[in-house]
Amino acid sequence: MKLADIILLSLSAAMVIIGTHLTITVGLTTSYPVFMFAVALLFWYRYRKNDQLVKEKNQSEKKTFENRKRRN
C-alpha cells in the first residue's frame, strides 16, 4: 500500500468520525457534505487500489507469456 492510499483511507475514516460528531451536535443536513466527501475519498481509494491490481495482473501475465515463449 502506497503512502497516498494510506492517506486517502485515513482521511475518509476521519471524515466519517467528523460527520458523526456533526450529526450528533448540529444535525444531518449540516453533516451530509462531510459524509459525501468521505464516500468520495473511499471511491478514490478503491479506484487506485483496483488500478494497481490490474497493473500487477498484467505484468504477471506478461511474464508468464514470456516464460512459455522461451520454453517453446
Side-chain angles (χ1 to χ4, degrees):
M1 192 182 301
K2 294 183 180 179
L3 181 63
D5 294 335
I6 294 170
I7 291 172
L8 283 174
L9 192 58
S10 301
L11 276 175
S12 64
M15 288 293 160
V16 168
I17 293 168
I18 291 169
T20 304
H21 174 71
L22 283 175
T23 302
I24 292 169
T25 57
V26 182
L28 187 62
T29 56
T30 306
S31 64
Y32 182 77
V34 176
F35 282 121
M36 290 301 106
F37 188 62
V39 169
L41 289 175
L42 282 172
F43 281 155
W44 190 13
Y45 166 76
R46 185 66 188 153
Y47 173 78
R48 288 176 52 91
K49 188 174 179 183
N50 191 30
D51 191 39
Q52 183 181 9
L53 290 174
V54 168
K55 286 179 184 178
E56 289 175 359
K57 183 179 177 184
N58 287 339
Q59 287 177 353
S60 68
E61 287 177 355
K62 185 178 178 183
K63 287 180 183 179
T64 305
F65 178 73
E66 289 175 358
N67 288 340
R68 288 181 185 171
K69 190 176 179 182
R70 287 181 192 166
R71 291 179 187 168
N72 293 330

